[in-house]
């Protein structure tokens, strides 16, 4: 790999194939469970959450591997594919439990009344229902093993969402009102993460094994005490040189870790700069190539303080 033969900015077409992507930027995306290196104390926190059937709340800066924890746990405990709920300021508890396309159903009914659909085309509410990631995680498991669920960036949510979660996290069950009022007692509806379906009885879903739930927070807000006491909490520690060298070795087997670069990265974090570990991985990957110049300009490009935009 060289730095300049790809884009040169001269407007001349060159049929050059881009270089091989870093291992963490290959697609389809693969789990990073083998590469993740848990910091001291995390293993105990995970095992406490598993034993107590409590959610694990991971706090710390962005880019420190919080969301990868659930992938490693799911792999080691054979919990299957990880369910994911990416939280935003508009996220609601209802969308995490189930989705109901009421407008789509009304439209289908209007088409039927207008004769644009066959007379024997039934009005099936199941066609317009789908369980959300949390609702799917709470299904009784045929294997007897819990599902794994990532609730990512819970601190980005509306102020009321953590409190809204309390009853579901405590009781492990919920009701779908549209099905509870439906005359048919058993409805077959779709899961979140697959085309498979499950039968819901009288509109209620209740887990047999509480799912392994990881909630991540970038520490951008505080949470109610009632929410915190229902979680096992762990704060990702600031990385050390030794920890970072293990992480780099796991992702880039045989690559020169660049001890000076790692040491500089740790010093900048200690000074209060906001940097992510994946930034360091990017820098090591680029600068480990013999033809890429290790200059201040390139380091500033790859290791720019996140607080500076």
């Amino acid at each position: 790999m060289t730095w300049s033969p790809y884009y040169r900015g001269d407007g001349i077409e060159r049929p050059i194939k881009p270089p091989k992507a870093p291992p963490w930027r290959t697609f389809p995306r693969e789990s990073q469970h083998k590469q993740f290196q848990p910091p001291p104390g995390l293993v105990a926190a995970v095992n406490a959450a598993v034993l107590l059937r409590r959610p694990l709340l991971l706090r710390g800066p962005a880019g420190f591997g919080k969301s990868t924890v659930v992938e490693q746990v799911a792999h080691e405990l054979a919990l299957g594919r990880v369910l994911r709920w990416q939280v935003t300021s508009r996220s609601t508890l209802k969308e995490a439990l189930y989705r109901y396309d009421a407008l789509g159903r009304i439209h289908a009914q209007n088409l039927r009344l207008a004769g644009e659909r066959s007379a024997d085309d039934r009005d099936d509410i199941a066609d317009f229902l789908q369980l959300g990631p949390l609702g799917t995680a709470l299904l009784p498991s045929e294997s007897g093993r819990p599902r794994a669920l990532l609730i990512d960036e819970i601190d980005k949510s509306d102020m009321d969402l953590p409190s809204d979660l309390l009853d579901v996290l405590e009781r492990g069950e919920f009701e779908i009102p549209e099905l509870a009022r439906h005359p048919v007692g058993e409805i077959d509806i779709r899961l979140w993460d697959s085309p498979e379906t499950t039968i819901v009885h009288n509109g209620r879903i209740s887990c047999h094994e509480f799912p392994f739930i990881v909630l991540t927070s970038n520490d951008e807000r505080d949470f109610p005490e009632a929410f915190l006491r229902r979680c096992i909490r762990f704060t990702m520690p600031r990385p050390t040189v030794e920890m970072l060298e293990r992480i780099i070795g796991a992702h880039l087997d045989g690559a020169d870790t660049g001890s000076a670069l790692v040491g500089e990265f740790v010093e900048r974090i200690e000074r209060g700069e906001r940097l992510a570990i994946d930034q360091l991985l990017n820098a090591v990957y680029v600068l480990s190539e013999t033809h890429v110049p290790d200059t201040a300009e390139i380091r500033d490009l790859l290791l720019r303080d996140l607080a500076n935009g």
Side-chain angles (χ1 to χ4, degrees):
M1 171 180 174
T2 60
W3 191 244
S4 61
Y6 305 107
Y7 171 70
R8 298 186 183 182
D10 56 15
I12 298 175
E13 180 181 2
R14 299 178 182 86
I16 299 174
K17 184 179 180 181
K20 183 179 179 182
W24 55 89
R25 291 297 296 168
T26 57
F27 297 88
R29 296 296 299 272
E30 294 184 357
S31 169
Q32 297 291 303
H33 61 267
K34 293 182 179 179
Q35 291 79 15
F36 181 72
Q37 303 291 303
L42 178 59
V43 171
V46 168
N47 285 327
V50 171
L51 179 64
L52 295 172
R53 305 309 198 265
R54 291 290 187 183
L56 175 64
L57 175 60
L58 295 180
R59 307 173 83 159
F64 274 43
K66 300 186 297 296
S67 59
T68 312
V69 174
V70 68
E71 294 180 358
Q72 190 172 73
V73 176
H75 176 77
E76 290 195 14
L77 302 186
L79 303 183
R81 186 170 58 254
V82 175
L83 295 157
R84 298 173 182 273
W85 180 25
Q86 183 66 48
V87 176
T88 71
S89 60
R90 300 179 299 277
S91 296
T92 65
L93 174 61
K94 179 179 177 180
E95 74 175 29
L97 295 174
Y98 72 98
R99 317 286 173 97
Y100 175 49
D101 184 8
L103 292 178
R105 190 181 183 200
I106 292 173
H107 180 64
Q109 290 172 335
N110 290 338
L111 290 178
R112 187 178 299 104
L113 292 174
E116 296 182 26
R117 300 181 68 174
S118 61
D120 60 350
D121 190 9
R122 58 198 178 96
D123 176 22
D124 190 350
I125 190 174
D127 294 339
F128 306 94
L129 275 169
Q130 181 182 23
L131 291 179
L134 178 56
T136 301
L138 291 172
L139 284 173
S141 171
E142 295 181 0
S143 66
R145 295 178 179 273
R147 290 297 302 266
L149 170 66
L150 172 66
I151 302 178
D152 207 14
E153 298 189 334
I154 183 68
D155 53 332
K156 298 289 195 302
S157 71
D158 176 86
M159 293 298 294
D160 293 331
L161 181 59
S163 297
D164 293 342
L165 282 167
L166 293 180
D167 186 62
V168 174
L169 295 182
E170 191 67 26
R171 298 172 61 85
E173 63 180 12
F174 68 98
E175 180 182 79
I176 301 176
E178 291 83 357
L179 295 186
R181 299 190 297 264
H182 201 273
V184 179
E186 296 184 349
I187 302 292
D188 207 24
I189 67 175
R190 291 172 293 152
L191 307 187
W192 173 252
D193 61 336
S194 76
E196 297 178 3
T197 61
T198 187
I199 295 177
V200 177
H201 300 273
N202 301 315
R204 294 204 65 82
I205 289 178
S206 180
C207 70
H208 294 166
E209 285 289 339
F210 190 78
F212 176 71
I213 299 177
V214 170
L215 305 105
T216 70
S217 167
N218 294 337
D219 261 353
E220 297 182 2
R221 60 177 280 194
D222 295 325
F223 297 102
E225 291 184 5
F227 175 77
L228 293 177
R229 74 177 179 83
R230 287 169 168 82
C231 301
I232 302 298
R233 290 166 283 156
F234 182 82
T235 300
M236 303 293 279
R238 289 184 174 182
T240 63
V241 170
E242 294 76 18
M243 183 190 306
L244 292 172
E245 288 180 341
R246 289 199 309 271
I247 292 172
I248 293 170
H251 284 85
L252 297 171
D253 186 25
D256 181 5
T257 59
S259 56
L261 185 63
V262 174
E264 176 189 337
F265 183 87
V266 171
E267 290 176 3
R268 290 177 62 182
I269 289 180
E270 293 295 333
R271 292 199 301 266
E273 293 189 47
R274 294 176 60 183
L275 297 168
I277 293 177
D278 57 356
Q279 289 177 280
L280 177 62
L281 287 171
N282 291 338
V284 171
Y285 183 78
V286 169
L287 296 176
S288 64
E289 300 297 333
T290 57
H291 298 289
V292 177
D294 186 354
T295 64
E297 179 183 9
I298 292 178
R299 289 194 179 205
D300 291 343
L301 175 68
L302 300 173
L303 294 172
R304 185 176 181 179
D305 189 342
L306 298 174
N308 292 334

